[in-house]
Amino acid sequence: VAADHGLHVKDLTGQSRVKHICAARFEAMFRIYDERHPDGRRVYSMTQLGRFFNRDHTTILNALRRYEERSGYGVRRAA
C-alpha cells in the first residue's frame, strides 16, 4: 500500500493527518485486517494492528469503518 501511494511504511505508521496519507493508512489497515487463514480466521486482530500502527484498537475499528464508507468495500465478517 505504501508503494502504491508513493509513501514509506513510516508514513503509514506515523502520526500525520495529511489527507492522502490518512487514506493510504486506512487502506493498509483494511487490507491487513481482511487477511484470512485458510480456515477463515483472521490473521491479525485489531489489537495487533493497533500495536503495529501505534494506535488503540478502537482507532483501528474507526479507520476500518471510514475506509468501508469511502471505498464501498466491506470487511468480510466472520461466520
Side-chain angles (χ1 to χ4, degrees):
V1 173
D4 291 345
H5 290 272
L7 302 169
H8 296 281
V9 174
K10 283 185 186 180
D11 296 324
L12 299 182
T13 61
Q15 299 299 316
S16 176
R17 301 185 106 198
V18 176
K19 193 172 187 173
H20 74 277
I21 295 175
C22 287
R25 183 182 302 127
F26 293 169
E27 179 182 348
M29 290 175 180
F30 174 85
R31 288 175 60 179
I32 295 169
Y33 185 69
D34 201 35
E35 286 295 312
R36 301 282 183 141
H37 289 286
D39 65 3
R41 293 177 298 121
R42 293 196 187 280
V43 176
Y44 300 103
S45 69
M46 285 188 208
T47 301
Q48 289 171 316
L49 282 177
R51 286 188 199 120
F52 179 77
F53 285 98
N54 301 311
R55 285 163 172 76
D56 187 78
H57 75 279
T58 57
T59 304
I60 302 297
L61 177 61
N62 182 57
L64 295 174
R65 287 179 178 160
R66 289 181 64 187
Y67 181 79
E68 289 174 344
E69 289 170 5
R70 290 179 181 175
S71 68
Y73 288 103
V75 174
R76 291 175 278 162
R77 306 287 184 226

